[in-house]
């Protein structure tokens, strides 16, 4: 069978199983099997797949049909132009988190800090820490996570992008034991687990395949956010910023938490779809 015929068969198979974006999923898998970009793969429509390619392709299509996320099958996810390795041990980087990084870059470039110190809580694949290290070559980053497996992957990703010398990865439960970092950071950034526990069961199968530790924000989704906001002021320099990714319904609650903790200039920013997604506050100087 030609590549086109395999694509048609795969798209129909995935559609029958309710896989979102069935055809593009099949195209990405075909491109990976052929070891080329998606456009090149599509241009090879009339070429037959050899037996090894066909077996490989159909094995991946079946996994996608079981609603395994495409990024877990491919083992990688683009993030702000970086190829980030992903495994089942960590959250798959999202486009809204790219916007969080861009906002952090803007905050730091408009601040007085020439060699900014960044603390990231809950680094997962390390995508935020690595992207910030690349965008801000004078920055130093400390990135924490509670998951040893996520930290190992984050370090691997940092090494792959030559950012490992400027990021220290530490196993840490939010802030516990971080006395040495008091007043250290110009920026504290986090994309914490923020989904209310009761909403987890209703998530798409692809999201349910991600680690619960990365998703579950407790009864109202705000457990980690509350703890981070409460501890942030002690970690930040005067004039430092706290930037958080939030769930779209959490804007008013998180702004309230930031103001109550003494942050000024609190703003909630919307993502490209117009949903509240990023909350920012500044510690008074
Ligand atoms: C939503 S994921 C974000 C991952 C990555 N920063 C990103 O944006 O793609 C949240 C991360 O926080 C970590 N985490 C959850 N609870 C934590 C805790 N108490 N202390 C530190 N990290 C925690 C999870 O393991 C997960 O990697």
């Amino acid at each position: 069978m030609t590549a086109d015929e395999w694509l048609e068969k795969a798209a129909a198979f995935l559609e029958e199983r309710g896989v979102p974006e069935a055809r593009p999923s099949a195209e990405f898998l075909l491109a990976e099997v052929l070891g080329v970009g998606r456009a090149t793969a599509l241009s090879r429509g009339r070429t037959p797949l050899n037996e090894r390619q066909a077996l490989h392709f159909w094995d991946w299509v079946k996994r996608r049909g079981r609603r395994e996320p495409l990024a877990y099958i491919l083992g990688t996810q683009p993030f702000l132009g970086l190829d980030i390795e992903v495994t089942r041990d960590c959250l798959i980087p999202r486009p809204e988190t790219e916007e969080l990084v861009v906002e952090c870059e803007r905050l730091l470039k408009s601040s007085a800090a020439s060699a900014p110190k960044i603390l990231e809580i809950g680094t997962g694949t390390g995508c935020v820490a690595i992207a910030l290290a690349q965008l801000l070559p004078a920055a130093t980053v400390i990135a924490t996570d509670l998951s040893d497996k996520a930290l190992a992957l984050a370090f691997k990703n940092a090494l792959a992008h030559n950012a490992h010398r400027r990021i220290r990865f530490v196993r840490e439960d939010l802030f516990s034991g971080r006395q040495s970092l008091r007043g250290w950071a110009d920026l504290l950034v986090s994309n914490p687990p923020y989904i209310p526990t009761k909403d987890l069961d209703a998530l798409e199968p692809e999201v349910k395949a991600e680690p619960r530790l990365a998703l579950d924000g407790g009864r109202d989704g705000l457990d980690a956010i509350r703890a981070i906001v409460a501890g942030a002021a002690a970690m930040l320099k005067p004039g430092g910023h706290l930037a958080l990714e939030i769930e779209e319904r959490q804007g008013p609650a998180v702004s309230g938490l930031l103001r109550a903790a003494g942050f000024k200039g609190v703003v909630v920013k919307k993502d490209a779809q117009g949903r509240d997604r990023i909350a920012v506050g500044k510690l008074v100087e």
Side-chain angles (χ1 to χ4, degrees):
M1 271 165 64
T2 65
D4 266 350
E5 287 165 340
W6 277 110
L7 261 186
E8 287 310 316
K9 183 173 155 155
F13 177 88
L14 295 178
E15 246 157 49
E16 261 170 40
R17 280 153 187 80
V19 173
E21 305 197 335
R23 170 96 196 182
S25 281
E27 290 174 1
F28 279 115
L29 294 174
L30 179 72
E32 189 66 17
V33 163
L34 296 178
V36 296
R38 194 169 153 205
T40 310
L42 295 180
S43 73
R44 296 198 187 159
R46 290 199 192 140
T47 314
L49 297 195
N50 64 34
E51 196 183 335
R52 189 192 57 79
Q53 289 168 331
L55 279 172
H56 202 157
F57 178 63
W58 200 250
D59 177 49
W60 280 357
V61 169
K62 282 192 289 186
R63 282 170 64 184
R64 187 71 192 98
R66 292 192 291 270
R67 306 293 298 269
E68 186 171 343
L70 190 62
Y72 285 159
I73 301 172
L74 299 176
T76 176
Q77 174 73 9
F79 186 81
L80 285 171
L82 304 170
D83 261 345
I84 297 292
E85 183 177 334
V86 296
T87 68
R88 289 183 153 267
D89 298 318
C90 59
L91 191 92
I92 298 163
R94 305 285 206 274
E96 47 270 30
T97 311
E98 294 181 326
E99 296 181 36
L100 174 70
V101 170
V102 171
E103 175 62 16
C104 290
E105 181 195 15
R106 193 191 65 74
L107 288 170
L108 287 170
K109 283 193 168 162
S110 60
S111 83
S114 54
K117 306 256 188 303
I118 301 168
L119 176 59
E120 189 205 358
I121 293 181
T123 197
T125 55
C127 59
V128 170
I130 296 164
L132 282 171
Q134 297 237 334
L135 290 164
L136 302 155
T140 305
V141 187
I142 293 180
T144 75
D145 208 289
L146 199 51
S147 157
D148 288 321
K149 288 180 174 169
L151 285 168
L153 181 67
F155 182 78
K156 199 173 168 200
N157 274 318
L159 199 63
H161 293 97
N162 201 23
H164 58 291
R165 287 192 193 83
R166 286 194 294 119
I167 307 173
R168 188 144 65 88
F169 292 102
V170 217
R171 186 176 187 282
E172 191 77 54
D173 183 354
L174 297 178
F175 293 106
S176 59
R178 284 285 106 195
Q179 295 304 319
S180 60
L181 288 184
R182 290 188 90 80
W184 180 82
D186 294 287
L187 170 76
L188 197 162
V189 56
S190 185
N191 170 18
Y194 52 62
I195 299 177
T197 307
K198 65 175 169 19
D199 295 348
L200 291 173
D201 282 344
L203 294 172
E204 290 295 323
E206 284 84 354
V207 185
K208 281 196 214 165
E210 296 181 276
R212 194 175 170 113
L213 182 65
L215 302 172
D216 189 352
R219 196 180 48 80
D220 60 359
L222 294 170
D223 283 3
I225 290 178
R226 261 190 218 96
I228 292 170
V229 172
M235 303 294 146
L236 286 167
K237 288 180 192 159
H241 286 93
L242 171 58
L244 295 167
E245 183 172 317
I246 58 170
E247 201 242 25
E248 60 185 288
R249 296 166 294 180
Q250 294 169 343
V254 177
S255 318
L257 289 171
L258 285 166
R259 288 195 191 94
F263 285 90
K264 301 289 176 215
V266 174
V267 281
V268 173
K269 306 221 160 194
K270 295 190 186 301
D271 66 11
Q273 277 76 45
R275 300 168 304 190
D276 284 353
R277 280 319 222 140
I278 299 170
V280 178
K282 182 176 179 174
L283 193 63
V284 274
E285 308 215 26

